[in-house]
Amino acid sequence: MTKEEVQGATEEEQQAQSKKGLKKQQKEAEKAAKKAEKQAKLAAEQHGAEEDDFAKDRYGVSAMVQSQQKLDRVLVRVQDLTLEKADQLIWLRARVHTSRAKGKQCFLVLRQQQFNVQALVAVGDRASKQMVKFAANITKESIVDVEASVRKVEQKIESCSQQDVELHIERIFVISQAEARLPLQLEDAVRPDGEGEEEGRATVNQDTKLDNRVIDLRTTTSQAIFRLQSGVCQLFRDTLTKKGFVEIQTPKIISAASEGGANVFTVSYFKTSAYLAQSPQLYKQMCICADFDKVFCVGPVFRAEDSNTHRHLTEFVGLDIEMAFSYHYHEVIDSITDTMVQIFKGLRDNFQTEIQTVNKQFPSEPFKFLEPTLRLEYTEALAMLREAGVEMGDEDDLSTPNEKLLGRLVKEKYDTDFYVLDKYPLAVRPFYTMPDPNNPKNSNSYDMFMRGEEILSGAQRIHDAQLLTERAMHHQIDLEKIKAYIDSFRYGAPPHGGGGIGLERVCMLYLGLHNVRQTSMFPRDPKRLTP
Amino acid sequence: MALREISSLEKYLGLKKPNKYSTQGDKKVPVLQNNNGPPLVGLVTIACHLVKEAKRPELLGDSAESRAVVQQWLEYRVTKLDGYTKEDIKTILKDLNLYLQDKVYLAGHQFTLADTFMYCGIHPLIVDLAIQEKEQYVNVTRWFDHIQHYPGVRHHLPPVVVLRNRIYTSKHH
């Protein structure tokens, strides 16, 4: 091809193009005109309609509640919406869980905590077309006040917790509007692993959930988990108080590490430095020396371990027990195991709904325990492990996989998820652990396990100042720093023992969950400081 | 490795005079210099020869069908199992587990050369399995446990502990 030819071609093309362009422009102009016409019509319609909207006062966005007025309006709770309330006109405050408009009707699912109910706005003599439209456009998770009559339904509503009734909305006001885009969908956050994979439905990964914890905590699963957790604390307190224990509060800013210096957080304390308590160990023991006899303490505990595992947090809630005993530290074990059993029973009897809700998303076998609690000695456990082909030294500590395996072996043999392992090797325990009188390589110490994972570590403590000094020196601890602690045993100290439980771990293992972050409301680990 | 296996087999077959072997190539393929004939090369070839010499033909299968199955597994052992990679382990165990679902021995109801061969070949895999995995491939471990206790088979290989009861009853924990 020559140059001219090319030019000619392009000119022709241009011409053709401009022709095309003209046509296009014309078309577009026509389109725009049509659109404008339509819009004008719609606006006119709307305008006209707005004027004759008879239900104008029955819906809308309320003014911000700044406590201007005291209405004597009773807000009914969603969980109370049963057949008993049928045909009553009630007021209700709830979140819009989902909304689905269908012609002249709009179905809403209203949610309050873990309960939800179906509600309906339909065009009729109470609601206008505009009201239905307004209801359909309320963003998910907005909080609304609703006046509605409760109606019995023919067919049970499977998707809601209140299955026997639905609400026919007469008034609806938005109290707090949620942004249209949510960082995660609640349905996605509660979907069990693997379900809906074929349909390409999303699940939300743990970090996204934790980043948007406030929304994640609204899910039925989270609601159930933390209600149950509150139950654990309550049962712990109730049981121990009944046994004559006294609740104490201990300082969390301390001058010396209680169990080895490696894993403590250092904080600057005016002109010197201090530590965050790894456990209230030293203080609860000092309370025993101060004649409090039986004490417990519920509070935060800090571990500066840089371990990113499914069961380690850097801050967690410790449930600590310390008690004086008469002659044998098994009195302490019995007291603690009984407390645990009371907690398990209380959960089983009073938190069945919560347990089942969590099970829906995270299936697990029901938690099993024996009465009295199974107590195994360390040597027996080693024998069981060796029989299963595990090679381990007599004075080795249990590794996590072996711990879990032992849990399975115990479950198979004794059918229990909760047991005590007694007589740990002295070498793997802290300096204040009382040595075994019959075998100096062993100690009077014990761990408790739930579903094969450690939840409690405890022991008889040394209440003799001299032996305590010897053991501290053996562990190469600076005696100056723990002087106050050792001195407290010089003026008469009763024999005593105790243990500390991690609240989050107990909840996780009781429910058979796989990550301790699920049972920590705002988890702290080496990589997470927010929210 | 192969030579040790052959000497184990000789002992199992009760051959009085141990033969002399050499190896050839990088992969150390065993070679048997026979007195009255050409040299025999390769694990399976030598093993079949020894079985015939010991007058135990039933170890190669007692029917046309089982003879074919035995040959198939002998082949599988030297082609698939020897020189497995990490990624292969799962498929090998999964397939074998499915195959052994309704069988006591590889060729059905009779102990054959295929069983000792597969036992030796799969031993390094089984040794490394966690208890939970052994339970996952329950048919393989049942067969393996049976063979390792079969009189005269185990020889130099260390025994592997196999639990009789299932301890992982559900997917969780």
Side-chain angles (χ1 to χ4, degrees), chain A residues 300-369:
Chain A
V301 169
F302 304 90
R303 297 283 156 92
E305 286 171 68
D306 193 8
S307 43
N308 295 286
T309 72
H310 76 285
R311 60 173 189 174
H312 283 96
L313 294 171
T314 50
E315 176 180 350
F316 59 93
V317 177
L319 309 174
D320 274 86
I321 301 177
E322 199 72 28
M323 64 179 270
F325 62 80
S326 316
Y327 295 103
H328 200 291
Y329 75 101
H330 282 179
E331 295 163 35
V332 181
I333 294 187
D334 292 343
S335 195
I336 299 177
T337 52
D338 180 62
T339 306
M340 293 308 294
V341 166
Q342 294 309 322
I343 293 175
F344 300 149
K345 279 187 177 170
L347 293 178
R348 183 192 61 195
D349 298 342
N350 305 324
F351 289 86
Q352 216 31 255
T353 346
E354 280 79 5
I355 294 168
Q356 265 153 25
T357 307
V358 177
N359 256 324
K360 254 187 233 162
Q361 189 178 358
F362 304 104
S364 72
E365 293 167 52
F367 190 81
K368 286 192 170 166
F369 53 93

Side-chain angles (χ1 to χ4, degrees), chain A residues 91 95 118 136 139 165 201 404 434 460 519:
Chain A
W91 274 95
R95 278 187 196 276
Q118 177 170 287
T139 48
V165 293
R201 298 254 174 99
K404 283 190 173 178
M434 182 67 85
Q460 177 185 351
T519 53

Side-chain angles (χ1 to χ4, degrees), chain A residues 39-54:
Chain A
Q39 253 171 2
K41 217 172 156 187
L42 211 79
E45 247 175 41
Q46 231 167 26
H47 194 66
E50 251 164 44
E51 267 175 7
D52 56 15
D53 179 4
F54 62 89

